[in-house]
């Protein structure tokens, strides 16, 4: 437990420790921080924490004495080793980089070869899980109560789940440093659901770009059937927050390095070496996603089309070897070497070569000299999580103000695109044109582009990235601890009825589908929502009570609500309050002033109709601002498959650029206008009610209940805030003990209380109605009272305490 005044503890868990270890003698080691490593750039962030690094040391150690000696040496660098040994190859080279990595980078699932029965998808998957367990064991061994655990990248996708299973109170964050693919690519992964559910156990998930975060949320909704919101992913009432935080670098390090005498000398040597020539620089790992062949093809095209430049420009390419033993990497290397030979053979001479290619890494100081000397930086990644090389180039160009050519498929394209020349690396002509534009760009434009990107790099450092992530993680964890979506209490029915009797103006707000409707059965061929027969007398009595105002707030359209509630003196709010009907039957439009256009409705309706025709016993409801497709009565497996396919059609077509929310339920897909929830609508609804009626007695009792989507549960917190504010005493005089928010069939909810099923709503409303018969304008007739009481009893016994799960549309 952390005591007052101590720095909080942070355990950063990554596949590899940020140090290089070298054996110097028997059981002795020398240590140094790895140059350019991501996590040693966090600087001031880790200074604010008592930070420990957990990861693989970079090599196998089997001797226990050596393990102990290495661990002691690493401890001096605040590092804790995880010895993977025999499991490492199948975990790292196999499942992590052989299966997950290609999927994440849109390369698809590799073919499984069965020539080695000891290396299959299953054995690699088992090794991956085992390795994650080994990381867990080391973390737990070093964990202290109150520690923050920050898991890094795709190598540790099971670790969040394992940590939460060990202790659900551990604060866990996970950040993906790679791209996240579209669902069409990701769903080919055999273990797709298990990996998603595991990372969703974290309190916070981080991604470099909005595209990656959107792909992740969309993939979760399609594969797991969970709900995606603007905050993240909701699964069974639990929210996992998703944030977009592009990583940065330590810009001061590059700025100061460029001013070192040694680096200035190297810069002068490079200028002399390439005197009279413009320098184009490339710095990449030599692997399939970095697009080095595409870079050379674009440069070759430029030399072909611009002969005047052939002796005036040179391309210097640093290609750092990665996995030379892997056949795919060998093919890329051979292809690159072949292109270098061809270009130098076509356009070079004995004294001058247009391409200088180096299969090696270079010292950090020399790299800074190259950055600072180059006129153009050429980044042609085919798929990149971020690409920090582009940031490093910008930071090193404070004096020269060179031009950055950046692939639109690199994550940095969303951060540095304003100042860079964005290109599609597959379009050789486009790359060639960008090279010419960069070399001939006017100084004024070049300086302005550099100014924009330099300001971004300076303002968005690695330290800021780390600080922002940990701040978001603390907030997410605090919200969880405060139980914003907590387990509701059992409803105190007698207290609720007693306070109802003592109140002077009651407001009852009810959902419709799943709350007031009759249960649906699997034989229904089309949507036919009917009021529960057992509620008719009860609802009429409540609506006729002068001390009670009843509002039905639904996602259904006006025609459906009119058909069901036409005979009642009741307030109806259709399409989540977009349209409002008073007890006299008059409808008014109640849309917010900034409502976006609804051009998307027609296209979505066509998609819903297409899937309804092809999915037996499915149906859809179309209103003016929302549409819901329901497959609860269809075959379970086929319905879920069709829902996944439908989402692909929607995102690719009618809603690709529309301002809409898409909600995937267990048995439904809903599309509606952006951010229109019941909580967002209730304030407008109450305002319209106050305008329509003369309120002499403020509302002093509220009962609000429904079978709601998570995003619609903001209606419960709306009244919580009204209790605290009480800014309109002529409208509200609501005491805390007189507010009853009741969720139906939810294990977690923002509501204060929970009941099992919609049949309990019938009983509750009946209890309120008969409790105050002395004030009813039109009390029950004998037949209505008998029907309601007996019907409720019969239904209560027939449901046998089970939740009515058939109302998945949650309207």
């Amino acid at each position: 437990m952390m005591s007052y005044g101590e720095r909080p503890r942070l355990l950063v868990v990554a596949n590899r420790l940020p140090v290089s270890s070298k054996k110097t003698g028997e059981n002795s080691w020398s240590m140094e921080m790895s140059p350019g490593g991501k996590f040693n750039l966090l600087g001031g962030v880790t200074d604010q924490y008592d930070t420990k690094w957990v990861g693989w040391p970079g090599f196998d150690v089997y001797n226990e004495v050596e393990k102990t000696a290495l661990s002691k040496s690493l401890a001096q660098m605040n590092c804790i080793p995880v010895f993977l040994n025999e499991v490492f190859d199948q975990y790292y080279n196999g499942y992590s980089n052989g299966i997950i990595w290609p999927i994440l980078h849109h390369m698809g699932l590799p073919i499984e070869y069965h020539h080695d029965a000891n290396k299959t998808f299953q054995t690699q998957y088992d090794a991956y899980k085992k390795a994650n367990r080994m990381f867990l064991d080391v973390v737990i061994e070093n964990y202290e109560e109150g520690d923050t655990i920050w898991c890094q990248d795709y190598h540790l996708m099971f670790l969040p789940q394992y940590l939460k299973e060990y202790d659900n109170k551990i604060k866990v964050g996970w950040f993906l440093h790679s791209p996240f693919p579209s669902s069409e690519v990701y769903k080919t992964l055999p273990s797709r659901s298990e990996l998603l559910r595991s990372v969703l156990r974290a309190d916070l998930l981080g991604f470099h770009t909005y595209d990656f975060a959107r792909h992740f949320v969309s993939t979760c909704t399609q594969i797991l059937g969970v709900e995606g919101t603007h905050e993240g992913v909701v699964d069974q009432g639990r929210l996992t927050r998703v944030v977009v935080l592009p990583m940065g670098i330590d810009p001061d390090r590059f700025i100061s390095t460029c001013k070192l005498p040694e680096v200035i000398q190297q810069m002068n040597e490079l200028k002399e070496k390439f005197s009279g020539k413009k320098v184009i620089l490339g710095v990449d790992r030599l692997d399939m996603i970095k697009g080095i062949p595409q870079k050379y093809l674009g440069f070759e095209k430029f030399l072909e089309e611009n002969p005047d430049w052939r002796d005036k420009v040179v391309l210097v390419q640093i290609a750092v070897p990665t996995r030379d033993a892997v056949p795919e990497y060998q093919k890329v290397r051979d292809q690159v070497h072949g292109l270098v030979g061809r270009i130098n053979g076509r356009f070079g001479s004995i004294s001058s070569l247009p391409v200088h290619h180096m299969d090696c890494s270079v010292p950090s100081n020399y790299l800074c000299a190259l950055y600072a000397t180059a006129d153009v930086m050429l980044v042609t990644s085919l798929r990149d999580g971020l690409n920090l090389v582009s940031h490093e180039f910008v930071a090193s160009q404070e004096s020269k103000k060179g031009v950055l050519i950046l692939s639109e498929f690199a994550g940095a394209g969303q951060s540095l695109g304003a100042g860079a020349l964005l290109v599609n690396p597959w379009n050789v002509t486009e790359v060639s044109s960008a090279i010419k534009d960069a070399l001939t760009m006017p100084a004024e434009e070049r300086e302005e582009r550099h100014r924009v990107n330099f300001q971004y790099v300076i303002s968005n450092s690695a330290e800021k990235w780390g600080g922002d992530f940990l701040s978001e993680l603390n907030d997410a964890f605090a919200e969880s601890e405060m139980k914003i979506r907590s387990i509701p209490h059992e409803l105190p029915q007698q207290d609720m009825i007693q306070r109802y009797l003592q109140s002077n103006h009651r407001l009852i707000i009810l959902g419709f589908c799943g709350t007031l409707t009759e249960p649906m059965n699997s034989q229904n061929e089309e949507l036919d929502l009917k009021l529960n027969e057992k509620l008719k007398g009860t609802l009429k009595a409540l609506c006729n009570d002068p001390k009670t105002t009843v509002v039905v707030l639904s996602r259904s359209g006006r025609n459906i609500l009119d058909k069901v509630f036409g005979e009642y003196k009741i307030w109806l709010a259709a399409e989540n309050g977009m349209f409002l009907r008073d007890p006299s039957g008059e409808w008014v439009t109640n849309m917010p002033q900034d409502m976006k256009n609804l051009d998307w409705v027609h296209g979505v309706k066509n998609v819903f109709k297409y899937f309804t025709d092809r999915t037996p016993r499915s149906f859809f409801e179309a209103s003016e601002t929302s549409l819901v497709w329901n497959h609860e009565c269809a075959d379970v497996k086929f319905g879920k498959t069709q829902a996944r396919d439908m989402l692909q059609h929607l995102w690719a077509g009618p809603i690709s650029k529309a301002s809409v929310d898409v909600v995937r339920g267990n048995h439904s897909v809903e599309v509606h206008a952006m951010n229109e929830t019941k909580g967002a609508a209730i304030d407008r609804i109450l305002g319209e009610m106050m305008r329509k009626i003369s309120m002499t007695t403020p509302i002093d009792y509220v009962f609000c209940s429904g079978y709601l989507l998570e995003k619609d549960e903001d209606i419960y917190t709306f009244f919580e805030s009204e209790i605290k504010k009480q800014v309109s005493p002529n409208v509200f005089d609501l005491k805390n003990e007189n507010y009853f928010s009741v969720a139906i069939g939810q294990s977690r909810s923002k509501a204060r209380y929970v009941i099992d099923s919609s049949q309990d709503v019938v009983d509750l409303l009946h209890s309120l109605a008969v409790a105050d018969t002395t004030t009813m304008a039109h009390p029950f007739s004998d037949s209505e009272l008998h029907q309601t009481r007996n019907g409720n009893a019969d239904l209560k016994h027939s449901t046998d305490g089970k939740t009515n799960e058939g109302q998945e549309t949650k309207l």
Side-chain angles (χ1 to χ4, degrees):
M1 176 75 71
M2 183 182 69
S3 62
Y4 180 77
E6 291 183 358
R7 290 184 302 166
R9 279 173 42 103
L10 171 66
L11 299 182
V12 181
V13 191
N15 168 69
R16 179 74 182 267
L17 289 173
V19 299
S20 298
S21 305
K22 183 178 181 180
K23 195 169 184 178
T24 56
E26 187 175 354
N27 300 328
S28 63
W29 307 77
S30 65
M31 306 283 168
E32 64 177 357
M33 296 297 290
S34 301
K38 287 189 180 75
F39 307 117
N40 57 5
L41 301 178
L42 293 177
V45 172
T46 53
D47 290 342
Q48 298 170 25
Y49 287 80
D50 179 8
T51 306
K52 308 291 182 185
W53 308 88
V54 180
W56 182 60
F59 46 84
D60 295 335
V61 180
Y62 293 92
N63 184 283
E64 293 300 323
V65 176
E66 286 191 354
K67 284 183 180 180
T68 302
L70 178 58
S71 298
K72 287 181 178 179
S73 297
L74 287 169
Q76 297 174 12
M77 305 287 289
N78 292 321
C79 291
I80 305 168
V82 180
F83 298 108
L84 298 172
N85 295 341
E86 67 280 349
V87 79
F88 176 79
D89 181 59
Q90 293 221 50
Y91 147 71
Y92 181 76
N93 296 318
Y95 200 78
S96 293
N97 288 327
I99 296 177
I100 298 181
W101 188 90
I103 291 288
L104 295 180
H105 288 83
H106 277 242
M107 297 174 66
L109 193 68
I111 298 174
E112 181 176 21
Y113 294 101
H114 295 284
H115 62 277
D116 187 348
N118 294 320
K119 290 187 179 181
T120 64
F121 282 178
Q122 186 60 50
T123 61
Q124 292 171 346
Y125 178 62
D126 291 342
Y128 181 84
K129 293 177 71 175
K130 184 176 181 180
N132 275 243
R133 288 281 184 192
M134 295 167 78
F135 275 94
L136 171 73
D137 292 340
V138 174
V139 170
I140 296 306
E141 184 179 343
N142 292 273
Y143 175 77
E144 296 180 8
E145 184 179 350
D147 287 358
T148 297
I149 313 296
W150 189 0
C151 308
Q152 306 290 336
D153 228 352
Y154 59 91
H155 311 90
L156 300 171
M157 293 182 75
F158 274 115
L159 190 54
Q161 175 182 323
Y162 293 161
L163 286 165
K164 289 293 188 178
E165 287 174 348
Y166 174 79
D167 184 350
N168 196 45
K169 295 182 179 179
I170 296 179
K171 187 191 304 182
V172 180
W174 182 80
F175 197 96
L176 181 65
H177 294 275
S178 297
F180 196 91
S182 68
S183 58
E184 280 297 294
V185 175
Y186 181 85
K187 71 181 182 182
T188 61
L189 189 63
S191 53
R192 59 192 188 184
S193 298
E194 294 88 341
L195 291 172
L196 290 177
R197 289 200 181 279
S198 178
V199 295
L200 285 175
R201 293 294 302 275
D203 299 293
L204 182 72
L205 305 178
F207 298 86
H208 282 306
T209 74
Y210 281 100
D211 283 349
F212 303 158
R214 178 172 57 84
H215 284 162
F216 176 80
V217 173
S218 175
T219 298
C220 288
T221 62
Q222 294 179 55
I223 292 177
L224 303 180
V226 295
E227 182 181 351
T229 73
H230 67 282
E231 291 185 294
V233 177
V234 180
D235 186 10
Q236 298 180 350
R238 182 185 178 276
L239 170 67
T240 301
R241 288 181 58 188
V242 174
V243 294
V244 178
L245 292 171
M247 192 179 182
I249 61 172
D250 177 4
D252 292 337
R253 181 171 76 88
F254 289 89
I255 294 172
S256 59
T257 299
C258 288
K259 297 175 181 178
L260 294 176
E262 174 193 346
V263 176
I264 293 174
Q265 180 180 346
Q266 291 172 334
M267 291 165 58
N268 291 331
E269 291 173 356
L270 288 168
K271 290 176 184 177
E272 182 180 350
K273 179 176 181 179
F274 298 118
S275 177
K277 299 179 185 293
K278 295 286 188 177
V279 178
I280 301 173
L281 178 64
V283 180
D284 305 277
R285 295 194 319 272
L286 183 59
D287 65 30
M288 294 87 73
I289 66 163
K290 292 300 182 177
I292 298 177
Q294 285 74 15
K295 182 183 302 187
Y296 281 141
L297 289 171
F299 184 61
E300 183 179 38
K301 181 77 170 176
F302 169 75
L303 294 176
E304 286 176 354
E305 296 181 342
N306 300 276
D308 293 344
W309 276 98
R310 289 177 184 173
D311 294 322
K312 300 176 183 178
V313 64
V314 61
L315 172 57
V316 178
Q317 176 66 51
I318 309 297
V320 182
T322 51
R323 299 164 65 193
D324 286 341
V326 178
E328 289 79 5
Y329 287 76
Q330 294 171 355
K331 290 178 183 177
V332 173
R333 183 193 60 201
D334 293 343
Q335 182 184 10
V336 165
H337 288 175
L339 286 169
V340 171
R342 187 173 79 191
I343 295 170
N344 283 339
R346 290 182 64 190
F347 304 109
S349 64
I350 295 176
S351 59
S352 175
L353 295 176
V355 177
H356 290 244
H357 179 95
M358 291 178 280
D359 284 323
C360 63
S361 59
V362 297
S364 57
N365 282 2
Y366 187 69
L367 181 61
C368 284
L370 281 169
Y371 282 145
T373 305
D375 298 278
V376 177
M377 183 79 194
L378 184 54
V379 178
T380 52
S381 305
L382 306 181
R383 185 70 56 177
D384 227 345
L386 191 63
N387 193 285
L388 292 177
V389 163
S390 56
H391 289 239
E392 294 172 357
F393 170 75
V394 170
S396 304
Q397 283 279 318
E398 189 176 14
S399 297
K400 193 162 191 177
K401 300 176 176 55
V403 181
L404 173 64
I405 301 176
L406 183 57
S407 167
E408 64 186 61
F409 300 120
Q414 290 189 14
S415 305
L416 302 178
L421 297 178
L422 292 178
V423 296
N424 174 3
W426 296 100
N427 187 332
V428 175
T429 301
E430 187 174 315
V431 174
S432 170
S433 297
I435 293 173
K436 183 175 182 180
D437 291 342
L439 293 173
T440 59
M441 185 177 292
E444 184 177 345
E445 180 183 352
R446 190 176 70 244
E447 291 174 5
E448 175 60 20
R449 285 178 176 273
H450 172 76
R451 185 192 65 78
V452 171
N453 279 349
F454 187 76
Q455 184 58 45
Y456 177 87
V457 170
I458 293 296
S459 304
N460 294 271
S461 64
E463 181 178 342
K464 182 179 185 299
W465 166 77
D468 288 349
F469 183 87
L470 293 173
S471 176
E472 292 274 5
L473 176 55
N474 288 332
D475 290 345
F477 187 73
E479 288 180 6
S480 176
E481 286 291 285
M482 291 169 62
K483 301 182 179 179
I484 295 298
R485 288 191 53 76
S486 59
I487 300 173
H489 301 290
E490 184 178 350
L491 179 66
Q493 296 191 26
Q494 291 305 313
D495 182 52
M496 173 185 163
I497 295 169
Q498 188 64 33
R499 293 188 179 280
Y500 179 86
L501 289 172
Q502 295 169 354
S503 59
N504 297 309
H505 188 175
R506 306 93 170 220
L507 176 62
I508 298 177
I509 301 178
L510 303 166
F512 177 43
C513 188
T515 306
L516 304 179
T517 52
E518 287 189 339
M520 304 174 71
N521 60 69
S522 60
Q523 302 306 312
N524 287 355
E525 293 291 339
E526 59 183 15
L527 184 64
D528 188 16
L529 298 173
K530 297 179 179 179
L531 182 66
N532 192 318
E533 285 289 334
K534 312 306 177 184
L535 264 175
K536 290 185 175 181
T538 297
L539 196 59
K540 185 177 292 185
L542 291 171
C543 291
N544 290 340
D545 182 351
K547 295 173 63 175
T548 303
T549 300
V550 182
V551 179
V552 173
L553 178 51
S554 172
R555 289 192 179 276
S556 295
R558 290 181 282 182
N559 58 333
I560 291 179
L561 296 185
D562 256 338
K563 178 181 177 182
V564 175
F565 299 101
E567 63 181 285
Y568 296 92
K569 296 179 179 180
I570 193 171
W571 288 87
L572 299 176
E575 301 189 34
N576 257 12
M578 296 289 190
F579 306 95
L580 188 64
R581 196 201 79 166
D582 63 24
S584 70
E586 179 186 357
W587 282 99
V588 296
T589 300
N590 196 35
M591 291 186 184
Q593 294 297 319
D594 60 349
M595 172 61 71
K596 305 293 184 183
N597 71 66
L598 302 174
D599 294 343
W600 52 268
V601 171
H602 180 71
V604 172
K605 188 181 295 184
N606 288 337
V607 173
F608 278 16
K609 185 178 185 304
Y610 175 88
F611 280 91
T612 299
D613 292 342
R614 285 151 184 79
T615 311
R617 294 187 298 282
S618 70
F619 54 85
F620 78 92
E621 176 193 359
S623 55
E624 294 175 62
T625 62
S626 66
L627 299 96
V628 181
W629 181 72
N630 188 296
H631 61 89
E632 63 183 304
C633 300
D635 175 80
V636 175
K637 184 173 291 187
F638 184 66
K640 287 184 178 294
T641 301
Q642 291 289 80
R644 288 199 298 267
D645 291 345
M646 172 185 283
L647 288 167
Q648 291 292 321
H649 281 70
L650 290 172
W651 285 117
I655 66 171
S656 59
K657 297 182 180 179
S659 297
V660 298
D661 283 329
V662 181
V663 180
R664 167 77 186 273
N666 285 337
H667 303 96
S668 66
V669 175
E670 177 178 349
V671 182
H672 58 82
M674 181 73 77
N675 296 328
E676 278 309 301
T677 65
K678 288 178 169 57
I682 192 63
D683 195 33
R684 300 197 313 274
I685 293 169
L686 290 173
E688 185 66 24
M689 290 171 60
M690 298 311 106
R691 191 180 68 81
K692 285 269 187 175
I693 63 176
S694 177
M695 180 175 288
T696 57
T697 306
I699 295 168
D700 59 354
Y701 179 98
V702 174
F703 170 66
C704 181
S705 184
Y707 183 62
L708 306 179
L709 292 163
E710 187 274 339
K711 67 197 313 172
D712 283 333
E713 286 201 342
D714 59 355
I715 193 172
Y716 298 140
T717 55
F718 172 84
F719 287 102
E720 297 278 5
S721 63
E722 282 300 319
I723 293 171
K724 295 175 183 176
K725 289 189 298 183
Q726 293 294 316
V727 292
S728 305
N730 61 319
V731 178
F732 280 104
D733 184 20
L734 184 59
K735 301 295 188 295
N736 187 64
E737 59 271 17
N738 276 11
Y739 174 49
F740 296 88
S741 55
V742 184
I744 302 172
Q746 300 281 24
S747 59
R748 292 179 180 271
S749 174
K750 292 176 183 174
R752 293 182 172 186
Y753 308 105
V754 66
I755 53 179
D756 288 336
S757 72
S758 60
Q759 302 307 321
D760 292 321
V761 176
V762 176
D763 289 339
L764 285 171
L765 295 177
H766 174 72
S767 297
L768 296 179
V770 299
D772 201 19
T773 54
T774 58
T775 62
M776 287 186 186
H778 299 282
F780 286 123
S781 67
D782 289 341
S783 62
E784 288 174 327
L785 186 61
H786 175 79
Q787 178 194 47
T788 304
R789 283 175 174 167
N790 290 346
N792 290 344
D794 293 342
L795 278 167
K796 188 71 174 176
H797 290 304
S798 66
T799 57
D800 198 28
K802 296 179 180 177
T803 301
N804 179 12
E805 297 176 346
Q807 312 304 321
E808 179 55 41
T809 39
K810 299 185 180 180
L811 301 181

